[in-house]
Amino acid sequence: MKRILPAFFLFFCLMIIFMSSTAQKSHYVIFYNVENLFDYFDDPLTNDESYTPGGENHWTKERFYEKIRMIYKAVITGCEGNFPDIIGLAEIENRWVLEQLINKTPLKEVPYGIIHKESPDLRGIDVALLYRKDRIEPVDLDFLSISATGKHAFQSRDILYFKGKADGTTLHFYVNHWPSRSEGYMESKEKRDLAARVLRSSIDALRMKETNPRILIMGDFNATPKEDCLLKILKSKIISKTAGENTLINLSGRWLKNRGGTVCRAGQWEVFDQFICSENLIHGDTVLIKPVDVRICHLPFLLEEEKNYMGQKPFRTFLGPAYHGGVSDHLPIITIFTVN
């Protein structure tokens, strides 16, 4: 009996090790347009004067750090108490605000790396990506320019590309913030079409270099999944069981059926913030995203009553120039992928 127990104990330990090594590993990804995350200093190279203590918005150190705290709360609560592996962000001013987010909140408990570059946006707002250095191995990165010359010259935020390895498996991430509709839908449509062509060209080039790459696209597209820039130019499809190899699947398309959305204008919710992935992330045997794990974070502290149209809307930091105390006019979106 004395010999049997040590043998059984050894067998039990080996089984635990085997099960741990073969178990699926879950990785949280969040994208959040944090609406004008500016520091409180004046940058002479950008139009950020209103986001200073003496500017129109009276943006102060205290208000900045309160917004940082609420962004952290949204990230962790949305990820069910987990520190996400990938955080995609839009409307951040510079690297310094990212450093404050990961060093002045409990995000400092895990090591995050920063991917960011100053873009030519006139207001000085950029996209960025944070990744857990203890779980994601960086391999490559790039920034894709969105600009035009001539009669209709303009410059917009770059598209961020990041190649990394999760548990030894390579994935390709794109973070987007396409041109807004502020000047009108038709007046700005061609700018979003250009962004779609730039992204599509990068994906086509990637597929020429790698066989069946695993791709996850995220961002604020300022367009719904059914618009031509996403359907016809980017060639993404609403979730379909018949999708073929190398197809891009818009994982956020199913939100349309529930009349859900990530932004609300005049009582009307729209799906502007989206996840789009290569088909092999849904039906692959190594990395898997379940559509049910792709969701909008309708967290109570990110919402407020919509008094004019009933219902709710995102809780913003400002209403016009008046400080309102909220976080953003967008809701964050979450997905989870597992590596077998």
Side-chain angles (χ1 to χ4, degrees), residues 18 102 131 142 149 154 161 175 187 195 206 229 240 254 283 289 317-318 328:
F18 174 76
I102 63 175
Y131 67 95
D142 196 6
T149 57
F154 80 98
Y161 165 73
V175 183
E187 292 78 3
L206 175 60
C229 55
S240 170
R254 67 189 187 93
H283 301 123
I289 292 177
T317 308
F318 286 91
S328 176

CSV table of all heavy atoms in Angstrom, one decimal, residues 18 102 131 142 149 154 161 175 187 195 206 229 240 254 283 289 317-318 328:
chain,number,residue,atom,x,y,z
A,18,PHE,N,-0.4,17.6,-17.6
A,18,PHE,CA,-0.8,17.4,-19.0
A,18,PHE,C,-2.0,18.2,-19.3
A,18,PHE,O,-2.1,18.8,-20.4
A,18,PHE,CB,-1.1,15.9,-19.2
A,18,PHE,CG,-1.6,15.6,-20.6
A,18,PHE,CD1,-0.8,15.5,-21.7
A,18,PHE,CD2,-3.0,15.3,-20.7
A,18,PHE,CE1,-1.4,15.3,-23.0
A,18,PHE,CE2,-3.5,15.0,-22.0
A,18,PHE,CZ,-2.7,15.0,-23.1
A,102,ILE,N,-1.4,53.1,-18.1
A,102,ILE,CA,-0.9,51.8,-17.7
A,102,ILE,C,0.0,51.9,-16.5
A,102,ILE,O,0.3,50.9,-15.9
A,102,ILE,CB,-0.1,51.1,-18.8
A,102,ILE,CG1,1.1,52.0,-19.2
A,102,ILE,CG2,-1.0,50.9,-20.0
A,102,ILE,CD1,2.0,51.3,-20.3
A,131,TYR,N,-0.4,46.0,-25.4
A,131,TYR,CA,-0.3,44.5,-25.4
A,131,TYR,C,0.4,44.0,-24.1
A,131,TYR,O,1.3,44.7,-23.6
A,131,TYR,CB,0.4,43.9,-26.6
A,131,TYR,CG,1.9,44.2,-26.7
A,131,TYR,CD1,2.8,43.3,-26.2
A,131,TYR,CD2,2.3,45.5,-27.2
A,131,TYR,CE1,4.2,43.6,-26.3
A,131,TYR,CE2,3.7,45.8,-27.2
A,131,TYR,CZ,4.6,44.8,-26.8
A,131,TYR,OH,5.9,45.1,-26.8
A,142,ASP,N,3.5,48.3,-38.1
A,142,ASP,CA,3.5,49.3,-39.2
A,142,ASP,C,2.4,50.3,-39.0
A,142,ASP,O,1.5,50.0,-38.2
A,142,ASP,CB,3.4,48.6,-40.6
A,142,ASP,CG,3.8,49.5,-41.7
A,142,ASP,OD1,4.3,50.6,-41.5
A,142,ASP,OD2,3.6,49.1,-42.9
A,149,THR,N,-4.0,63.9,-51.9
A,149,THR,CA,-3.5,65.2,-52.3
A,149,THR,C,-4.4,65.8,-53.4
A,149,THR,O,-5.4,65.1,-53.8
A,149,THR,CB,-2.0,65.1,-52.9
A,149,THR,OG1,-2.1,64.1,-53.9
A,149,THR,CG2,-1.1,64.6,-51.8
A,154,PHE,N,-6.5,65.7,-47.9
A,154,PHE,CA,-6.8,65.6,-46.5
A,154,PHE,C,-5.8,64.6,-45.9
A,154,PHE,O,-5.2,63.8,-46.5
A,154,PHE,CB,-8.2,65.1,-46.3
A,154,PHE,CG,-8.4,63.6,-46.4
A,154,PHE,CD1,-8.5,62.8,-45.3
A,154,PHE,CD2,-8.6,63.1,-47.7
A,154,PHE,CE1,-8.6,61.4,-45.5
A,154,PHE,CE2,-8.8,61.7,-47.8
A,154,PHE,CZ,-8.8,60.9,-46.7
A,161,TYR,N,-0.9,48.6,-37.6
A,161,TYR,CA,-0.8,47.1,-37.8
A,161,TYR,C,0.2,46.6,-36.8
A,161,TYR,O,1.3,47.1,-36.6
A,161,TYR,CB,-0.2,46.9,-39.2
A,161,TYR,CG,0.3,45.5,-39.4
A,161,TYR,CD1,-0.6,44.4,-39.5
A,161,TYR,CD2,1.7,45.2,-39.5
A,161,TYR,CE1,-0.1,43.1,-39.7
A,161,TYR,CE2,2.1,43.9,-39.7
A,161,TYR,CZ,1.3,42.9,-39.7
A,161,TYR,OH,1.7,41.6,-39.9
A,175,VAL,N,-5.7,48.2,-36.0
A,175,VAL,CA,-6.5,49.2,-35.2
A,175,VAL,C,-6.8,50.4,-36.1
A,175,VAL,O,-6.0,51.0,-36.7
A,175,VAL,CB,-5.8,49.6,-34.0
A,175,VAL,CG1,-6.7,50.5,-33.1
A,175,VAL,CG2,-5.3,48.4,-33.1
A,187,GLU,N,-20.2,63.9,-48.0
A,187,GLU,CA,-19.0,64.7,-48.1
A,187,GLU,C,-17.8,64.0,-47.6
A,187,GLU,O,-16.7,64.3,-48.0
A,187,GLU,CB,-19.2,66.0,-47.4
A,187,GLU,CG,-20.2,67.0,-48.0
A,187,GLU,CD,-21.6,66.7,-47.7
A,187,GLU,OE1,-21.9,65.7,-46.9
A,187,GLU,OE2,-22.5,67.4,-48.2
A,195,ALA,N,-9.8,54.8,-46.8
A,195,ALA,CA,-9.3,54.0,-45.7
A,195,ALA,C,-9.6,52.5,-45.9
A,195,ALA,O,-8.7,51.7,-45.6
A,195,ALA,CB,-10.0,54.4,-44.4
A,206,LEU,N,-0.4,41.0,-47.2
A,206,LEU,CA,-0.1,40.0,-46.2
A,206,LEU,C,-0.4,38.6,-46.6
A,206,LEU,O,0.4,37.7,-46.4
A,206,LEU,CB,-0.9,40.4,-44.9
A,206,LEU,CG,-0.9,39.4,-43.7
A,206,LEU,CD1,0.6,39.3,-43.2
A,206,LEU,CD2,-1.8,39.9,-42.6
A,229,CYS,N,-18.2,50.7,-47.9
A,229,CYS,CA,-16.8,50.7,-47.6
A,229,CYS,C,-16.3,49.4,-46.9
A,229,CYS,O,-15.2,48.9,-47.1
A,229,CYS,CB,-16.4,51.9,-46.8
A,229,CYS,SG,-17.4,52.1,-45.3
A,240,SER,N,-21.4,34.3,-41.6
A,240,SER,CA,-22.1,33.3,-42.5
A,240,SER,C,-21.4,31.9,-42.3
A,240,SER,O,-20.2,31.8,-42.2
A,240,SER,CB,-22.0,33.7,-43.9
A,240,SER,OG,-22.4,32.7,-44.8
A,254,ARG,N,-24.0,40.8,-36.3
A,254,ARG,CA,-25.1,40.3,-35.6
A,254,ARG,C,-25.8,41.3,-34.7
A,254,ARG,O,-26.9,41.1,-34.3
A,254,ARG,CB,-24.8,39.0,-34.9
A,254,ARG,CG,-23.8,39.2,-33.7
A,254,ARG,CD,-23.4,37.8,-33.2
A,254,ARG,NE,-22.6,38.0,-31.9
A,254,ARG,CZ,-23.1,37.9,-30.7
A,254,ARG,NH1,-24.4,37.6,-30.6
A,254,ARG,NH2,-22.4,38.0,-29.7
A,283,HIS,N,-13.5,29.2,-37.7
A,283,HIS,CA,-13.6,27.8,-38.0
A,283,HIS,C,-12.2,27.1,-37.9
A,283,HIS,O,-12.1,26.0,-38.3
A,283,HIS,CB,-14.2,27.6,-39.4
A,283,HIS,CG,-15.5,28.2,-39.5
A,283,HIS,ND1,-15.9,29.1,-40.5
A,283,HIS,CD2,-16.7,28.0,-38.8
A,283,HIS,CE1,-17.1,29.4,-40.4
A,283,HIS,NE2,-17.6,28.8,-39.4
A,289,ILE,N,-12.4,32.1,-32.3
A,289,ILE,CA,-13.3,33.2,-31.7
A,289,ILE,C,-14.7,32.7,-31.9
A,289,ILE,O,-15.2,32.3,-33.0
A,289,ILE,CB,-13.1,34.5,-32.4
A,289,ILE,CG1,-11.8,35.1,-32.2
A,289,ILE,CG2,-14.2,35.5,-32.0
A,289,ILE,CD1,-11.5,36.4,-32.9
A,317,THR,N,-17.9,62.8,-21.6
A,317,THR,CA,-17.1,63.6,-20.7
A,317,THR,C,-17.5,65.1,-20.8
A,317,THR,O,-17.6,65.8,-19.8
A,317,THR,CB,-15.6,63.6,-21.1
A,317,THR,OG1,-15.1,62.2,-21.2
A,317,THR,CG2,-14.7,64.3,-20.1
A,318,PHE,N,-17.9,65.5,-22.0
A,318,PHE,CA,-18.4,66.9,-22.2
A,318,PHE,C,-19.7,66.9,-23.0
A,318,PHE,O,-19.9,66.0,-23.9
A,318,PHE,CB,-17.4,67.7,-23.0
A,318,PHE,CG,-16.2,68.1,-22.2
A,318,PHE,CD1,-15.0,67.3,-22.1
A,318,PHE,CD2,-16.2,69.3,-21.5
A,318,PHE,CE1,-13.9,67.7,-21.4
A,318,PHE,CE2,-15.1,69.7,-20.7
A,318,PHE,CZ,-13.9,68.9,-20.7
A,328,SER,N,-17.0,58.6,-22.5
A,328,SER,CA,-16.9,58.6,-24.0
A,328,SER,C,-18.3,58.6,-24.6
A,328,SER,O,-19.3,58.2,-24.0
A,328,SER,CB,-16.1,57.4,-24.5
A,328,SER,OG,-16.0,57.4,-25.9
